[in-house]
Amino acid sequence: MAIQMRRGKYELLDPSKLMPGEWAIVLESDPNGTGGRSLYMCFSPGVVKRIATVEDMATIIANAEPEVSANIMKIATDTNAAITDAENKRVAAENSRVSAESARETKQASNNSAQASNNSAQSSNNSKQTANNSSQSSNNTAQAKNNADQAQNNAAAKGMTFSVLSSSQYAKTTDNTHNKPTITGKTGVMYLTPRISGATDDDKYDQWMYLNSAWELMGETGSHVDPVTTSDIDSITSGTSVTADRYLNATGLTYWWAKAKSALSSVFAAKSHTHTESQVTNLSTDLSNLSSRASSLESRATSLETNVTSLKKSIPVYYYSSAPTESTVKSEHTTPCLVVVKGGATYLVE
């Protein structure tokens, strides 16, 4: 099939009349072609494309250059303006940040100063509290000493009284060895009944005391036992050895504990943490040992109490119708005893 081509003026070009594969050559008047001349290819009726030559391309580029340049310049100008605006905003933001940081540092410095003041005040309060605690500890120790001294003074002031019973106030024991009181006694009173056997001018009576709602016959020999004094405790806690036959009563123990707490507080640190039972090595064994030691101490305490009671029971009492001289008492009594003067005082012979 021969190649078909049409030619003519641009005004006569009608793409709808072209056949597929047909060329149309514009010889003049084409506003899009160089010198008014151009070339078109038909792909289907009404669908054509203009074919550009090298010369056409050069012309197109030359014609487009001013517009492209203008667009490029506009883009560059807009870009520079955007960069400048962004930089200005960045500088403003940086200035704001610096200002905020300066304000924060100023605030932090103020807070630090306030915290330092608070710490100083707290330290001062802690020092005052420590001084108060120390003063209170000293006061507690002094009060415990006063209590112990007062208790001992009270005990010393409570002199034992005696009562000689009449025949209607006692009866013989079942073994006929003593005359036992039949009345209800009072605490702190020693009741005297005539001895059935072995009575002498200096020892006519049995001595009875009413203890725990029952009559207790006092013995014939023994020694006088005094409680430990606060002076003893002061000497012991200061490292001085004290030798004496005295017992530690509850009042003395209270004073000793006050002294011990004051001394131990500077030796042992305060508890800062705790451990569970499983974290303590050999806890069960240690607890068992402590329990055994506690039982042993309890037994020793019971034994000591029994000994003290026995000592109290074994102090004999001798009676005089008139006050004897000191030399007479010492010559007649070589063991500890109580000397009672009729209508007069009572003396302890040691």
Side-chain angles (χ1 to χ4, degrees):
M1 180 177 180
I3 298 176
Q4 297 179 349
M5 291 187 296
R6 297 182 187 231
R7 63 181 181 277
K9 296 181 179 181
Y10 180 76
E11 292 84 356
L12 300 177
L13 176 62
D14 185 357
S16 63
K17 294 181 179 181
L18 295 176
M19 299 296 292
E22 185 178 9
W23 292 89
I25 300 173
V26 178
L27 300 176
E28 58 180 294
S29 304
D30 189 345
N32 300 315
T34 304
R37 295 182 290 274
S38 60
L39 177 64
Y40 292 87
M41 167 63 73
C42 177
F43 292 91
S44 64
V47 179
V48 297
K49 285 188 176 182
R50 185 164 69 91
I51 306 302
T53 64
V54 173
E55 292 80 7
D56 291 336
M57 294 297 295
T59 300
I60 291 171
I61 292 173
N63 292 336
E65 183 176 354
E67 182 180 356
V68 172
S69 297
N71 289 336
I72 291 175
M73 289 300 296
K74 185 177 185 305
I75 292 172
T77 301
D78 292 344
T79 300
N80 288 334
I83 291 174
T84 301
D85 183 62
E87 178 63 18
N88 291 337
K89 290 181 179 179
R90 185 196 67 77
V91 171
E94 179 63 19
N95 291 337
S96 297
R97 185 196 67 78
V98 171
S99 178
E101 179 64 20
S102 177
R104 186 196 67 78
E105 291 176 353
T106 301
K107 181 66 174 178
Q108 184 63 41
S110 177
N111 291 340
N112 291 343
S113 178
Q115 185 62 43
S117 297
N118 290 338
N119 292 342
S120 177
Q122 185 62 42
S123 177
S124 177
N125 290 337
N126 291 341
S127 297
K128 291 179 180 179
Q129 185 62 43
T130 300
N132 290 339
N133 291 341
S134 177
S135 177
Q136 184 62 44
S137 177
S138 298
N139 291 340
N140 291 341
T141 301
Q143 185 61 47
K145 176 177 174 62
N146 290 338
N147 292 343
D149 289 340
Q150 185 61 44
Q152 292 175 358
N153 291 337
N154 292 341
K158 294 178 180 178
M160 183 178 294
T161 60
F162 299 86
S163 176
V164 179
L165 300 182
S166 63
S167 59
S168 62
Q169 294 177 311
Y170 60 83
K172 291 183 179 181
T173 58
T174 55
D175 58 2
N176 293 322
T177 57
H178 299 283
N179 288 319
K180 183 177 180 180
T182 57
I183 63 174
T184 300
K186 297 180 180 179
T187 302
V189 179
M190 181 173 286
Y191 294 88
L192 309 177
T193 62
R195 296 187 64 174
I196 293 178
S197 62
T200 65
D201 291 339
D202 296 330
D203 190 7
K204 300 178 181 180
Y205 299 96
D206 286 333
Q207 301 88 41
W208 297 86
M209 293 194 72
Y210 196 67
L211 304 174
N212 298 324
S213 301
W215 287 105
E216 191 75 26
L217 178 64
M218 309 304 290
E220 296 181 354
T221 60
S223 60
H224 183 71
V225 182
D226 292 321
V228 172
T229 66
T230 55
S231 297
D232 291 339
I233 295 174
D234 289 338
S235 297
I236 293 171
T237 55
S238 65
T240 302
S241 178
V242 176
T243 303
D245 292 329
R246 289 190 278 271
Y247 69 95
L248 182 64
N249 57 15
T251 304
L253 181 60
T254 300
Y255 178 55
W256 174 85
W257 178 239
K259 296 279 289 186
K261 285 195 296 184
S262 177
L264 293 176
S265 62
S266 61
V267 177
F268 296 101
K271 182 179 74 173
S272 59
H273 65 281
T274 59
H275 294 279
T276 62
E277 181 177 346
S278 61
Q279 293 175 316
V280 182
T281 305
N282 298 327
L283 178 61
S284 298
T285 302
D286 292 341
L287 290 177
S288 177
N289 292 338
L290 287 175
S291 178
S292 298
R293 293 181 62 186
S295 298
S296 176
L297 289 174
E298 183 177 3
S299 298
R300 292 177 62 185
T302 302
S303 176
L304 179 60
E305 182 179 2
T306 301
N307 291 338
V308 171
T309 302
S310 176
L311 287 173
K312 289 182 178 180
K313 291 180 180 179
S314 61
I315 301 177
V317 181
Y318 299 95
Y319 303 91
Y320 289 83
S321 58
S322 60
T325 63
E326 182 178 353
S327 59
T328 299
V329 172
K330 289 184 176 180
S331 63
E332 293 181 352
H333 306 290
T334 58
T335 58
C337 63
L338 286 175
V339 174
V340 180
V341 180
K342 183 177 181 180
T346 300
Y347 303 93
L348 173 64
V349 179
E350 296 183 310

